[in-house]
Amino acid sequence: MIFAAGRGERMRPLTDTCPKPLLEVRGRPLIVWHILNLVRAGITDIVINHAHLGRMIEDALGDGRQFGAQIVYSPEGTALETAGGIAKARHLLGDAPFVAIAGDVYCPHFDFAQVTGVLEDNDPWGSPLPADRRDLGWLYLVKNPAHHPDGDFALASFAIANSGQPRYTFSGIGVYRPELFDGVRAGEAAKLAPLLREFADKGRMGGEVYRGDWTDVGTVERLEQLNAPFRAGS
């Protein structure tokens, strides 16, 4: 699932007439970088939620065939936040773990093949884990950017923690079991972060650090910084 429902307030006036995931970075829309990387990794069934200017997203991407994907949409009249968007789209996502991606991050070299199998059903010795001991999510963390110096989570032996050092920033890429969202009603707005923190405290969030190129394209200035070398021809 790719999150594409946000209004993009900090990107105005650009997002007054263009949804943030369709803003171009180095020659192609942000969301297309994700789609191409997913397809390259063999992940071709893609759900995209949208709200603000959502018809433009559907018109630009269609059913995904141009990318070798199969895209279905989960329209939201009013944006339901991340956990709320997943809850509304659960009937499209199936019963197996799925990867969810923020539509406004730029990570051109992320290899989505690595997300397959990160949520194991067995312990390291091959014995089945009880359902109440399995990780419900696997988060990809990055080095703290200048605009978010305090980070979001700590990491110890692939276990996500709310406290501790060193701290890292959540990249916006995670793998989740559908049951993580059992407490979120379809159609209600709900943020993802409180769920991640709740189950991190219960010892049921795993993760790792991604050290490749990554940018949260959250402001016009960051978008311009990314595009400057491309426009200069380098």
Side-chain angles (χ1 to χ4, degrees):
M1 181 168 180
I2 304 176
F3 298 118
R7 174 63 178 80
E9 291 289 347
R10 293 179 300 164
M11 300 291 283
R12 298 182 70 183
L14 298 180
T15 51
D16 288 342
T17 55
C18 179
K20 184 161 58 169
L22 290 185
L23 294 174
E24 287 202 358
V25 172
R26 301 185 177 181
R28 61 171 58 124
L30 267 171
I31 198 168
V32 173
W33 286 99
H34 289 328
I35 294 169
L36 293 176
N37 283 346
L38 286 164
V39 170
R40 190 175 297 118
I43 301 172
T44 57
D45 293 322
I46 299 172
V47 176
I48 298 174
N49 71 332
H50 63 67
H52 174 62
L53 301 177
R55 174 52 62 181
M56 291 181 65
I57 294 174
E58 293 199 25
D59 289 345
L61 305 178
D63 62 7
R65 278 184 290 183
Q66 61 180 310
F67 310 109
Q70 295 178 320
I71 297 175
V72 295
Y73 297 94
S74 179
E76 301 168 10
T78 301
L80 298 175
E81 302 286 356
T82 40
I86 288 173
K88 185 177 186 298
R90 275 188 69 169
H91 67 290
L92 301 172
L93 292 166
D95 298 324
F98 60 91
V99 60
I101 311 153
D104 58 357
V105 298
Y106 173 69
C107 47
H109 307 300
F110 190 92
D111 181 8
F112 284 99
Q114 68 186 292
V115 309
T116 305
V118 292
L119 291 181
E120 299 287 352
D121 292 336
N122 298 326
D123 65 21
W125 299 274
S127 300
L129 284 168
D132 61 357
R133 290 185 52 204
R134 296 172 185 167
D135 282 339
L136 292 178
W138 188 271
L139 310 184
Y140 290 90
L141 309 178
V142 295
K143 182 180 176 181
N144 298 330
H147 62 272
H148 193 59
D150 295 330
D152 298 306
F153 299 103
L155 186 67
S157 300
F158 299 104
I160 297 288
N162 289 315
S163 60
Q165 295 292 333
R167 295 183 63 78
Y168 299 94
T169 292
F170 177 39
S171 70
I173 302 173
V175 182
Y176 309 109
R177 295 186 191 273
E179 53 265 38
L180 175 64
F181 305 93
D182 283 349
V184 183
R185 291 181 297 178
E188 91 176 354
K191 295 180 181 293
L192 180 59
L195 273 179
L196 302 183
R197 296 192 183 284
E198 175 187 349
F199 285 95
D201 279 340
K202 295 177 179 178
R204 301 191 65 187
M205 280 286 148
E208 61 188 278
V209 177
Y210 172 66
R211 303 190 184 277
D213 291 341
W214 177 90
T215 302
D216 171 8
V217 191
T219 65
V220 175
E221 291 73 22
R222 280 179 233 151
L223 179 64
E224 291 177 346
Q225 288 170 3
L226 281 171
N227 281 330
F230 180 79
R231 288 172 178 157
S234 61

